[in-house]
Amino acid sequence: MSWNDFHARGAVLQLVMERARVDPGDPGLFVDLPDMEKLFGGPDGVLLALEHRWTTHLAAKLDQAIEDGAPPNTAWNELTAEQPVLRALLDRYAGGSRSLREAQQAERGMIGAHFNAQVHADDSGGLGRGRPESGAAAASPPARVVSRC
């Protein structure tokens, strides 16, 4: 990807977010976006780029939650409060985009891995200071987490 394409992609994402601030369910959200097909391959590509933005921020918040001993849902709630338009946009279009649903499934796996890392740290006297009290993940046994870095 060229430097120009990188900036053009950013401009398209910014335009989509500006439109979504007015109405995340607007049927014209992806209409007349400059070079959308070339830069993203279509609306699904735009949605995946926005999901990537969300997931990147969520991963950082989840890491901080582990450090603080806070439950993973704290990270989700904080990010939702900070980025309500992005969250509303992703929620609105998940039903119609298989690729977005699959990306969100991977996101749920990341949340589960962070929870399991926290539980493992709690069980071994590590960083985590608290086990989440509720949610399906609370019933999950600790699992080994493998870093992809």
Side-chain angles (χ1 to χ4, degrees):
M1 173 184 333
S2 73
W3 189 246
N4 288 336
D5 287 348
F6 175 79
H7 285 287
R9 283 174 59 94
V12 168
L13 296 178
Q14 182 177 345
L15 180 56
V16 169
M17 291 301 296
E18 288 170 6
R19 290 177 179 180
R21 277 183 193 82
V22 176
D23 179 8
D26 178 5
L29 202 62
F30 302 104
V31 174
D32 295 329
L33 293 173
D35 294 323
M36 178 182 62
E37 290 295 326
K38 174 187 166 220
L39 297 168
F40 294 95
D44 265 3
V46 174
L47 289 168
L48 287 174
L50 291 169
E51 172 66 19
H52 182 264
R53 178 181 290 181
W54 170 268
T55 302
T56 300
H57 289 223
L58 182 60
K61 288 207 169 280
L62 287 166
D63 287 346
Q64 187 62 51
I66 288 174
E67 188 71 28
D68 295 344
N73 65 333
T74 301
W76 175 274
N77 293 337
E78 284 177 8
L79 186 55
T80 298
E82 291 171 9
Q83 307 236 1
V85 175
L86 179 56
R87 185 70 259 153
L89 176 68
L90 294 172
D91 289 345
R92 163 67 176 87
Y93 286 94
S97 171
R98 180 179 178 184
S99 55
L100 179 57
R101 284 192 310 274
E102 289 172 356
Q104 289 177 338
Q105 181 64 33
E107 175 188 313
R108 286 188 286 279
M110 178 184 71
I111 293 168
H114 275 78
F115 169 79
N116 287 331
Q118 184 181 44
V119 169
H120 180 71
D122 284 350
D123 291 345
S124 65
L127 294 174
R129 290 183 290 279
R131 185 177 185 135
E133 290 99 27
S134 64
S140 301
R144 187 169 153 236
V145 177
V146 177
S147 174
R148 295 180 191 196
C149 297

